[in-house]
Amino acid sequence: MFRRGVSVARRVVAPRLRGTHVWIQPQPLYTQWIKPRSAIRLTEPARRYTTHSSLYLRTHTDLPPQLSTMDAPYPVPGSDGFVTLSFYSFFSLQSIQTTRSHLQAQWEALGIVGRVYVSNEGINAQLSVPFAKIIDLREWLEHSAVFRGRISRFNWALEHSQAFKALHVRVRPLVAAGVEVGLDVLANEPEYVEPKDWGKELDTPDALVLDMRNTYEYRVGRFDNAVCPDVDTFREELDQVRTMCSTRPRDAPILMYCTGGIRCSVAGAVLRGDGLTNVKTLRGGVIAYGQHVRKTQESRFRGKNFTFDKRRGEVVTSEILAKCDQCGSECDTFVNCAHTSCNLLFIQCPGCAEKHKKTCGRELCVERAQLSHEERVKQKLPPQWSHRERVRPELVFRDGVAHNPLDN
């Protein structure tokens, strides 16, 4: 059932304390000593650790009893020594610019790369972290006056590598919902369903299963019978979902899932605010469900989970649901056109990648993709597509080549 060459992920035993050091031994190749800056504090009697009932809408708390075991079991890092993870949390965040500057400087010093959004409503982070710095990151969070007790267990990726080139911390809405989503709205959280119980929920009679991702994500992987609105932004999707659900009885079952959970936390809260009472979402999204699949070898999800980083996707099951946009062969590998001013997002098989020099096939793109980086920067062109065209290859491909009116 599973793609050849993809084995069940090996788990790293939980770190254990030895005096003032934390010992981590995932595999002999990565055996190492890690000495956190405040490891001595980890051996002292822990203060009481209490949290809000939600894992995502968090209140300020004391230090947890064992920083070194909060995120166990730890994954095996990629060949480059990095692990990829994500987390989000809703809480009142003040002094946003100061927080942004601290995150940028101090996480960068730890060698962390990724994408982080901060706003008055909290934080949303997707990171690649050097394996040796995992404990340091957790320790930093739990000794921070801003984040202490507010970040639940890391949501480990299914496949690990340095998935980002650099660290970018930006002040912006955690999710582009198109409506004001304050903490008062987010307090109407949907009910979170654990991955192991999700299959049972999918069998609920008359349940509306909503895929809250983009259409291109849905294209390469999905749960059967899920509905993915045919729109291009989360803002448009939320509007359409609210319209769809407005005609259903208030207690009719609604099941939602997305990549890592945050879009469903927001959308579910909005629907609950609209008066719908039976809204449930998959805790941790497809990422967490994929971890469940690796353990049980049983899956209701088919295909690949799209990711917004260099990996462009993680294998959940062996089924390939899509086709190459250039030749029509079975394929589920998303790429961006190698001509950076084009940057078209499409599915490309290895044969077409070789034939078209990793581009969309436009003559301009093939030529410019072979220039040196310095020459491309010097001769940079304006964006070649609208957002809708850039993520809808079916609108621009004809006979295996993308066609742009700018070429005429």
Side-chain angles (χ1 to χ4, degrees):
M1 176 179 177
F2 294 87
R3 194 187 302 277
R4 289 184 179 179
V6 177
S7 60
V8 177
R10 292 168 293 171
R11 291 298 178 187
V12 180
V13 296
R16 57 186 183 274
L17 298 176
R18 288 189 177 182
T20 60
H21 294 75
V22 177
W23 176 254
I24 296 182
Q25 187 177 19
Q27 297 292 327
L29 180 62
Y30 299 103
T31 297
Q32 55 196 291
W33 284 91
I34 297 177
K35 185 175 182 179
R37 287 180 300 280
S38 57
I40 294 177
R41 282 196 291 271
L42 301 185
T43 65
E44 298 173 353
R47 289 180 287 166
R48 187 182 178 192
Y49 182 56
T50 57
T51 66
H52 186 280
S53 60
S54 166
L55 288 180
Y56 304 112
L57 197 66
R58 302 301 290 263
T59 55
H60 192 86
T61 65
D62 287 337
L63 292 175
Q66 291 280 353
L67 297 187
S68 62
T69 59
M70 283 187 66
D71 304 296
Y74 291 83
V76 175
S79 59
D80 56 8
F82 277 80
V83 293
T84 298
L85 60 93
S86 60
F87 60 81
Y88 66 95
S89 183
F90 305 127
F91 60 96
S92 179
L93 177 58
Q94 306 301 318
S95 305
I96 304 176
Q97 289 294 348
T98 300
T99 300
R100 189 214 72 80
S101 298
H102 286 169
L103 289 176
Q104 183 71 54
Q106 295 176 28
W107 288 8
E108 206 165 51
L110 292 175
I112 295 171
V113 294
R115 183 188 305 113
V116 183
Y117 300 146
V118 292
S119 76
N120 287 126
E121 289 70 47
I123 185 170
N124 180 19
Q126 297 89 44
L127 305 173
S128 286
V129 183
F131 184 78
K133 298 297 183 180
I134 296 172
I135 300 294
D136 287 342
L137 173 60
R138 173 53 72 181
E139 184 188 29
W140 189 98
L141 291 167
E142 298 305 330
H143 286 90
S144 161
V146 174
F147 296 104
R148 180 185 304 137
R150 287 172 169 154
I151 307 301
S152 58
R153 184 180 183 276
F154 296 149
N155 198 6
W156 300 112
L158 302 179
E159 299 171 7
H160 295 278
S161 65
Q162 182 180 334
F164 304 89
K165 292 181 179 179
L167 177 66
H168 298 285
V169 184
R170 297 188 173 97
V171 175
R172 55 158 287 174
L174 305 185
V175 174
V179 296
E180 186 174 346
V181 184
L183 293 176
D184 56 335
V185 174
L186 293 171
N188 297 313
E189 292 185 287
E191 179 181 342
Y192 293 101
V193 179
E194 298 296 334
K196 65 183 178 61
D197 300 320
W198 185 245
K200 186 187 301 182
E201 294 292 340
L202 291 176
D203 294 330
T204 303
D206 301 321
L208 173 61
V209 183
L210 294 171
D211 188 323
M212 296 303 297
R213 304 174 304 160
N214 297 294
T215 54
Y216 52 87
E217 298 175 77
Y218 179 86
R219 185 180 172 194
V220 294
R222 53 189 176 267
F223 288 100
D224 285 336
N225 302 319
V227 176
C228 183
D230 189 19
V231 293
D232 300 309
T233 66
F234 181 69
R235 178 184 298 109
E236 295 171 326
E237 184 172 39
L238 185 55
D239 287 343
Q240 192 166 124
V241 163
R242 295 177 80 179
T243 300
M244 291 168 57
C245 293
S246 66
T247 60
R248 293 171 59 82
R250 289 185 179 274
D251 62 350
I254 298 171
L255 304 175
M256 317 173 80
Y257 70 92
C258 56
T259 304
I262 189 169
R263 283 179 279 187
C264 290
S265 288
V266 172
V270 170
L271 293 182
R272 288 287 303 276
D274 288 344
L276 300 172
T277 61
N278 193 3
V279 183
K280 299 179 181 181
T281 182
L282 175 60
R283 188 188 297 282
V286 179
I287 296 173
Y289 188 81
Q291 295 289 1
H292 169 70
V293 172
R294 297 283 173 94
K295 294 176 184 177
T296 65
Q297 297 291 292
E298 296 178 355
S299 180
R300 298 286 292 272
F301 185 92
R302 300 167 55 219
K304 181 182 284 189
N305 179 39
F306 182 91
T307 60
F308 294 89
D309 53 45
K310 291 194 298 185
R311 297 170 300 158
R312 286 287 177 261
E314 303 175 308
V315 173
V316 179
T317 73
S318 63
E319 295 166 276
I320 298 177
L321 308 184
K323 296 182 183 299
C324 173
D325 286 309
Q326 293 180 299
C327 71
S329 64
E330 202 174 68
C331 183
D332 59 6
T333 302
F334 267 108
V335 300
N336 289 103
C337 178
H339 175 205
T340 53
S341 294
C342 173
N343 207 37
L344 189 71
L345 180 67
F346 64 103
I347 293 176
Q348 186 178 59
C349 69
C352 288
E354 181 178 0
K355 176 180 178 181
H356 299 290
K357 310 299 182 185
K358 298 183 179 180
T359 73
C360 64
R362 293 169 62 205
E363 185 176 341
L364 172 69
C365 292
V366 173
E367 292 176 355
R368 294 184 67 86
Q370 297 178 76
L371 298 176
S372 68
H373 175 72
E374 292 74 17
E375 290 175 314
R376 276 182 283 169
V377 171
K378 189 182 301 184
Q379 302 176 36
K380 187 175 180 179
L381 297 176
Q384 302 288 289
W385 311 97
S386 67
H387 171 73
R388 179 176 174 78
E389 291 170 327
R390 199 182 74 79
V391 299
R392 296 271 190 166
E394 68 273 15
L395 299 179
V396 300
F397 274 99
R398 294 196 301 274
D399 301 323
V401 175
H403 291 263
N404 192 315
L406 295 175
D407 298 335
N408 297 330

